[in-house]
Structures are given as C-alpha cells and as structure tokens.
Amino acid sequence: MAKLLAGVTTSHVPAIGAALDGGKSGEPYWRRVFAGYEFSKKWLAEMKPDVVFLVYNDHASAFSLEIIPTFALGCAEEFPIADEGWGPRPVPVVEGHPDLAWHIAQSTILDEFDMTIVNKMEVDHGLTVPLSLMVGQPKTWPFKVIPLCVNVIQYPPPTGHRCYMLGKAIRKAIDSFPQDLRVVIFGTGGMSHQLQGPRAGFINSEFDNRFLDKFVADPVALTKIPHVDYIREAGSEGIELVMWLIARGALDDQVKQVHRFYTVPASNTAVGHLILENTH
Amino acid sequence: MAEEAYEDIPGTQVFDAKRSRKGYWLNMFCMSLMKDENRKAFKANEPKYLDEHFPHLSPEQRDAILKRQWNRMLELGGNIYYTSKLGATDGLSFQNLAALMTGSTQEQYAAMMLAGGRPPAGNRSKSEWQSRG
C-alpha cells in the first residue's frame, strides 16, 4: 500500500530560484536562507520518497483570468517548466505519477471535493523553488511529483478549513492506493508578505511564529482564521498559508517535528519551513 | 452591500470580484507579455500594441500602463502577479516594483526588509494611516 510518511512546508519565493540559478547561493544574504535547508536536503535524500504530492499556487503562468480553478490536480505524465517572463528556470522537467494522481482525483471527488483534473500544465516557481530548496540542482528530480495547484490570487481562496479537510481526503486516497509507494506531501507559500501597493514589505514575525507553533500542535485552531485576518496580519500574499493546511490535514493529528526554520527576509518575504513526520 | 472588512486594510487592494472584472483586460494585457514575441512588439511601439490588441482597456488603464503608474494600475483592477509581468518586461523584479509602489528608493526598501520588514504596528487599519497623516 502507499504510505504518507511526512510533510514539508516551505515558502516559495521566486528570488530564491533566481539566486540559485544565478550562482548567488554563496552570498551572505542567500547563504542565510539556504542554510535553513541543509538538514532538509539530507533528510529528504534519506527519506527516499517515490512521490511528492506538492501543494502550491500558480502565479498567472499556467492559468490566467480566463480559467480560475480552486483546486487543480495535475494528472499528466510530465509538467514542463513555465517561462515567467525571463525564460524557463533551468531545472529538470517535472515527472508526474498519473496512476496515483488519478486515484486521488477519483477518491477526493467521491469524497465531495470538486477537483479540477489537469492533463496539461506548465509549472512555475511556486512548484520548482520548493523542489530546488529540498533537492538542490540535480540532473533529474529523484522522485515523481503530483502537483496540486490552489487558487490564492483571485479572492476568495478556499478557506483554511476547506484546505485542511481536503488534506484529510487526500490522505484517505493515498492510504487506499494498492501499490507500495513512499509519499511525502509539501505545503508551500507564505509566510507573511505583501507584494502590492503602498503597504508592500509587510512582515509579521510574531504571527508567523505563532502559526508555526500551532501548525505542529493545534492545526485545527489555524483552520478558523478568517481570510481578512490573514490579509491584515500576514499581508495580502500571506494568505497563501491556507495551502500549508492541506499538507497538515493529510498528516497524522499527532506528528513529530524534526526541523524548523524561520528567517526574514528573502526579497519581500518571510521564509518559514517545517518538516513533520508521521509516527504510525 | 456592506463594505467588506478587508477594505479597511491600508495600502492594499484585495483582488476580489469587482476588481477582477474591472481589471480583466489590463491583466490579460500583462499576461500577453509572457511571450517573447509580444514583449518585443510591445516595446517596439507601446500605444500601437495596446490599441491593436487590447482595445477594451479603459483610457485610464491605458494611460497608467504607458506611464508605468504601478499603484494606479492596482486601483484600476490590476493584480500584482500580472502587473509584475509588465515589470519583468522592463527588467524590474518584485522588489524593484515594491520600492516604486511604496515611494522608496531601492536602497531604502531593501534596508527596511533587511531590518525585518514593514511592521504590523500602525499598518493594520486605514485609521492608523490617517492619524499619522
């Protein structure tokens, strides 16, 4: 049977990808950020997942205002790297796992989550930066990836509670997949940041650290945060944190925290990162 | 309809239904800049590109694009993930744009971020911005 072993949460700041691709990761500014992932790279290499289920958001790359799916599940064989205006990032193409992805689509839809099934999708920094942070710069990614693309740009995004419950449905689907597979779930985005307008540069370390505490110990409390509180307290783009709750919902209620990292800033954003293991 | 609670957050345009509808063509223009050939055509003659391909832009939107009024674009329904594509066409990063939108120099803005960013205290409500004048 497939088994969900652990969850990883991390910010997905585009400048991190640009720093890595541009050979700037040794500069003191960026070394401070990448240092928080040294342990994580070793941990993931030892974890040897067959599949990473990766929750992220598209930034007007694969989807525009023409079609705005709330939950878009990538069921394709592979996902090309998007050109975000500077040419595609020089990273390997992302290989999917259609068998498990379609199984999750069917299972979650019958569980009353109205998923959008996507057979053709380019993936942008929202997906590739977390992979780079957790793996480095390999020739090919060492596992298959199932992308779950969540709308957090057009207001309103799904509620934190809905995300958490979807995580539980994803877990049920993974648990019922007959093939032996090692699965790790990533929840990405956040932490506090605002990219737009006169309030750009907003950071709330107190909110972020409280979020990290509760994320481990009392995630249900986080599912009750209304959207306006995210925008006010974590910045207009901090609302991406609802995506972390999908990963948390999929994990056991009780988890073991094996790594925690927080730093400000990476470009405009507070970087937060957790690794949580299931214990059963 | 009662005003949404998020309208009280200062310096912030929440990209809700009314802004998305208003900004549709502005954002779709920005989206067109994902293609290199369109970036080149736009840069070669900006007014011509807008008039030929995006005739539904309002005069205010067209003007804000040509003048690179980044905050004005947001007020007219632009979304930062779209307007940043116009920024990228001009060679500007998210942090470059943030400095422009906050009326800071690049150095001031980068220094603020390194010092921990814009703090929540005094930046939660429009009333706080009004009282500081």
Side-chain angles (χ1 to χ4, degrees):
Chain A
M1 301 295 281
K3 194 166 166 61
L4 183 72
L5 302 164
V8 172
T9 62
T10 178
S11 311
H12 60 217
V13 186
I16 293 176
L20 195 66
D21 303 340
K24 291 184 188 161
S25 54
E27 293 177 5
Y29 181 98
W30 290 110
R31 214 162 47 215
R32 169 178 52 82
V33 175
F34 288 109
Y37 293 83
E38 284 307 314
F39 168 86
S40 314
K41 283 195 275 191
K42 284 187 211 111
W43 173 88
L44 190 64
E46 282 165 22
M47 187 55 76
K48 288 192 175 47
D50 300 299
V51 181
V52 165
F53 188 96
L54 204 156
V55 184
Y56 77 110
N57 68 285
D58 177 73
H59 304 78
S61 304
F63 298 106
S64 70
L65 295 183
E66 287 181 351
I67 301 177
I68 308 171
T70 295
F71 296 117
L73 185 61
C75 294
E77 293 278 355
E78 62 174 42
F79 304 93
I81 309 302
D83 178 348
E84 298 181 62
W86 308 269
R89 284 194 63 210
V91 295
V93 69
V94 173
E95 287 179 35
H97 196 297
D99 287 348
L100 179 57
W102 274 99
H103 170 80
I104 293 171
Q106 292 187 50
S107 178
T108 51
I109 289 168
L110 292 174
D111 249 341
E112 304 186 341
F113 289 86
D114 308 312
M115 311 297 283
T116 299
I117 294 164
V118 185
N119 284 314
K120 186 180 179 203
M121 181 164 72
E122 295 188 343
V123 290
D124 70 11
H125 72 266
L127 183 132
T128 61
V129 165
L131 290 179
S132 297
L133 282 169
M134 292 299 295
V135 179
Q137 296 173 293
K139 287 215 168 58
T140 57
W141 301 115
F143 40 72
K144 312 284 188 190
V145 177
I146 299 176
L148 175 65
C149 179
V150 181
N151 164 53
V152 292
I153 294 180
Q154 175 67 59
Y155 186 90
T159 63
H161 179 254
R162 186 66 173 163
C163 288
Y164 186 74
M165 296 310 289
L166 175 59
K168 292 200 173 293
I170 291 166
R171 170 64 179 278
K172 190 171 143 192
I174 293 169
D175 284 348
S176 65
F177 189 68
Q179 193 186 338
D180 283 336
L181 289 174
R182 297 170 65 81
V183 184
V184 172
I185 189 165
F186 285 19
T188 74
M191 295 191 85
S192 61
H193 66 304
Q194 175 151 340
L195 303 176
Q196 59 144 320
R199 195 180 180 240
F202 186 90
I203 297 283
N204 189 343
S205 302
E206 206 177 303
F207 175 94
D208 289 340
N209 278 291
R210 207 162 49 232
F211 193 95
L212 291 167
D213 292 342
K214 294 260 185 204
F215 191 81
V216 180
D218 184 14
V220 172
L222 299 180
T223 67
K224 294 171 184 148
I225 299 175
H227 284 346
V228 65
D229 287 10
Y230 279 107
I231 303 169
R232 200 190 297 278
E233 297 296 327
S236 52
E237 280 65 58
I239 202 165
E240 290 174 353
L241 283 167
V242 296
M243 294 187 291
W244 285 35
L245 291 169
I246 297 176
R248 188 63 186 90
L251 295 168
D252 292 350
D253 291 343
Q254 305 288 327
V255 289
K256 182 177 151 208
Q257 178 185 307
V258 296
H259 186 56
R260 173 170 168 159
F261 174 65
Y262 184 76
T263 188
V264 177
S267 187
N268 302 291
T269 304
V271 174
H273 170 43
L274 287 171
I275 300 178
L276 307 178
E277 290 180 356
N278 278 341
T279 50
H280 295 102
Chain B
M1 212 165 76
E3 190 176 82
E4 296 282 354
Y6 53 69
E7 297 294 351
D8 175 53
I9 301 170
T12 304
Q13 306 278 338
V14 175
F15 192 61
D16 60 7
K18 66 177 182 293
R19 294 197 176 96
S20 187
R21 293 176 68 184
K22 187 175 177 181
Y24 185 82
W25 289 110
L26 168 55
N27 291 313
M28 292 307 282
F29 149 69
C30 294
M31 195 72 195
S32 77
L33 300 176
M34 293 281 281
K35 290 206 174 100
D36 192 46
E37 69 215 56
N38 293 342
R39 291 195 285 267
K40 285 186 180 129
F42 173 66
K43 289 299 246 186
N45 188 334
E46 298 193 1
K48 180 164 171 268
Y49 182 84
L50 295 179
D51 294 341
E52 278 182 5
H53 301 285
F54 295 93
H56 299 296
L57 285 169
S58 72
E60 294 80 13
Q61 290 171 333
R62 186 178 176 281
D63 195 48
I65 292 166
L66 294 174
K67 290 183 180 156
R68 301 299 195 271
Q69 294 169 328
W70 302 102
N71 283 328
R72 183 76 183 133
M73 281 184 243
L74 302 182
E75 288 162 15
L76 296 170
N79 174 277
I80 185 63
Y81 289 116
Y82 290 84
T83 57
S84 65
K85 298 182 192 307
L86 177 57
T89 301
D90 290 346
L92 299 173
S93 69
F94 275 105
Q95 189 165 101
N96 296 147
L97 291 175
L100 291 169
M101 289 184 288
T102 57
S104 335
T105 66
Q106 295 300 321
E107 293 73 25
Q108 286 167 339
Y109 184 85
M112 176 185 80
M113 293 315 298
L114 269 177
R118 187 181 308 284
N123 292 308
R124 288 188 169 97
S125 165
K126 280 185 175 165
S127 62
E128 294 174 301
W129 280 26
Q130 276 150 12
S131 65
R132 86 180 178 200

